[in-house]
Each structure stands twice: as C-alpha cells, then as structure tokens.
Amino acid sequence: MISDITIGQYFPGNSPIHKMDARMKIVLLFLLIVSIFICKNIISLLLVIVFAAVLVFVSKIPFKTVLKSIKPLAVIILLTSLLNLFYGKGEALAQLGRLKITADGIETAVFMAVRIITLVVISSLLTYTTSPTELTDALERLLKPLTYIKIDVHSLAMTMTIALRFIPTLVEEIEKIMAAQKSRGADMESGNLIHRAKALIPVLIPLFISSFRRASELAYAMECRCYRGGEGRTKMKVMKLSARDFISLAVIIIFIAVIILFNHLFSNII
C-alpha cells in the first residue's frame, strides 16, 4: 500500500499537457473539479469519465501509474459509499434496524464513488505533468493579489510545493524503516488494532527524526545558496501563455457548457 502512493511525483515527458503553462493547468484543474461536482446524472458523469481518460492518454502517463493514486484512498471511497448507501429514498431492499438500503441509495453510493475516483485521477495529472519548480512559480503568480494584504505569497507557495514534493521521499523513507524493523523481527501485520498501532511506534519515531534532519539539511542548503525569498528574485524560466493554453481553456469551457446541457436534457436520469 505504501509503495502505491504516487502523490507529488513528477514524470518528465513531452506530451501536450507537459508543455502547457503551469498556471493554466491549475486553473483548468479547478474548472474540471467544478465540472465533476455539477454532474447531476450518470450521462454527465460518464462524459467526465471519458474526458478524464482522454487526458490520461494525451499526458502519456501509464494508466497503471494513475490507478496507483486511487489505491491509498480506497478506504475513504468505501466509507463515503457506505454512508450514502443508507441515505437513499424509496422502498427498502434490505433493512437493519433504522438503516435501510434502497435502489436510490445504491445508485447514489456508486455515483459518489465514481465521482471521487474521477476527481483523484484528474487531480493527480497536475503533479504528474508539472515539475515542483513550475508548480511553485505558478502558485506564486496566481496568488500574487494576496501581496496587497501583506501575505508572503512566495513563502506560502514554496511551503506548499516542498510539502507536496516530500511526500514521495517520506514514503520511501517509511518503506526503508519498515524493512529495517522487520529484519530485526518486528511484527507489524498480525494481532489486533491496538497491537498494530503499538508496532508502528518504532517506525514513527525514526521517521520524525529523519524528517527533521531532511528539513534542516534543506534549510542549510538554501542558506548556502543565499536564498532570501521572492523579493527581487528573477526567474530562470519566464512563464508565457501560448495559443495551446487558450485553446485548452476554450475546450474546458465548452465541456462545462455541454455538461450543464446534459444535466438539463437528462434531468430524469439519476
């Protein structure tokens, strides 16, 4: 399960999505998330699923890698589906006390599960196709209006990007620590929940120590390179919007319009 966490990883490539401006990718991601949540029937949701599959194909990221981003969230998806399963209306197909399962509840549970999976797939494409440096610059540019209310946008963007970038590093560190503890005879897979929680203590303590050590090394490296924040700094790569970015924006806007139209045309379909 730990090795399946791919959040924050960047896969270099030469696809059209890799070549897009990082600012536009963030804006388009926000619009796509909106499109997922405005889906009101299965037809609209199927349209979003097909569009997400096309994006994965265009990005040239292996489908197997994208599916890995879903596995760590399987428990959350399952719990969300179970909660929606018991809130349906209509005649009960099965009942346990006050809880009842209806056809409407089953349809809602499946709808929510598919919606979350699609959301994770689309969101993961941002980090898969955007380097940490580009992501930092894009966030800083998009949040620049906050500087008028005395918010250090550069530090905020840098902190968010470093946190995202270090997820794969910490995952790798956890795997090494767990392998080392198992080689010493530690049992982390058997026993009840309390026993397993106690078995994680020898993993968490070295992980915290390693995290602080890496943070200290990063801070020292930045000081050695005379890093002084965003004020007065220039960019090695100047970000420019191209025709590709504006065409992508137009496509997404048309896509959202089509979803709204489908919501109206197929309003009677769940």
Side-chain angles (χ1 to χ4, degrees):
M1 181 66 74
I2 295 295
S3 59
D4 291 330
I5 299 177
T6 58
I7 299 174
Q9 292 186 14
Y10 169 62
F11 297 90
N14 197 34
S15 70
I17 298 181
H18 281 84
K19 295 178 180 179
M20 287 179 59
D21 188 275
R23 295 169 295 177
M24 184 59 72
K25 281 192 275 190
I26 294 175
V27 172
L28 295 183
L29 173 62
F30 175 77
L31 293 177
L32 286 174
I33 291 175
V34 171
S35 70
I36 294 174
F37 282 101
I38 64 175
C39 290
K40 295 182 180 180
N41 55 63
I42 192 64
I43 304 298
S44 300
L45 188 59
L46 285 174
L47 184 62
V48 174
I49 294 173
V50 172
F51 193 81
V54 171
L55 288 178
V56 174
F57 177 77
V58 172
S59 68
K60 299 181 181 179
I61 302 295
F63 277 92
K64 184 178 179 180
T65 301
V66 176
L67 292 177
K68 276 188 175 182
S69 63
I70 302 174
K71 291 181 67 176
L73 301 175
V75 176
I76 297 176
I77 296 172
L78 181 61
L79 289 176
T80 304
S81 300
L82 287 176
L83 288 175
N84 285 276
L85 187 64
F86 298 108
Y87 282 93
K89 298 178 181 179
E91 184 179 353
L93 301 177
Q95 191 161 353
L96 179 63
R98 294 185 178 181
L99 300 176
K100 64 178 182 178
I101 300 177
T102 64
D104 179 67
I106 295 175
E107 291 172 350
T108 303
V110 174
F111 191 87
M112 289 300 298
V114 174
R115 175 182 279 179
I116 295 174
I117 291 173
T118 308
L119 177 64
V120 173
V121 170
I122 292 178
S123 301
S124 62
L125 288 179
L126 176 64
T127 54
Y128 288 163
T129 61
T130 312
S131 67
T133 303
E134 292 177 341
L135 197 57
T136 301
D137 292 343
L139 288 172
E140 184 179 355
R141 296 288 185 87
L142 292 175
L143 298 176
K144 192 172 183 179
L146 296 179
T147 56
Y148 296 105
I149 54 176
K150 306 300 181 181
I151 294 180
D152 190 352
V153 173
H154 179 80
S155 297
L156 179 62
M158 179 67 72
T159 302
M160 293 171 60
T161 307
I162 290 176
L164 189 64
R165 170 62 185 84
F166 265 78
I167 291 177
T169 304
L170 293 179
V171 169
E172 182 182 356
E173 192 73 22
I174 291 175
E175 289 182 336
K176 291 181 180 178
I177 295 173
M178 291 181 68
Q181 295 296 343
K182 288 180 180 179
S183 67
R184 294 178 174 88
D187 185 8
M188 303 178 184
E189 298 178 356
S190 62
N192 55 29
L193 185 62
I194 297 177
H195 181 269
R196 292 185 180 184
K198 289 182 179 179
L200 288 177
I201 295 178
V203 176
L204 294 178
I205 293 177
L207 179 63
F208 274 110
I209 295 175
S210 175
S211 300
F212 283 112
R213 185 182 70 250
R214 287 180 180 274
S216 177
E217 291 174 353
L218 177 61
Y220 183 71
M222 294 172 72
E223 289 180 358
C224 289
R225 290 168 173 79
C226 300
Y227 175 79
R228 293 293 182 272
E231 186 176 355
R233 291 175 61 88
T234 57
K235 306 294 183 183
M236 185 176 69
K237 294 182 179 180
V238 180
M239 306 181 74
K240 294 181 180 179
L241 293 171
S242 63
R244 180 190 300 110
D245 301 308
F246 292 108
I247 292 173
S248 301
L249 178 61
V251 170
I252 298 300
I253 292 175
I254 294 173
F255 177 70
I256 294 176
V258 172
I259 290 178
I260 295 174
L261 179 62
F262 277 28
N263 286 337
H264 178 70
L265 294 176
F266 303 99
S267 57
N268 295 327
I269 301 178
I270 296 176

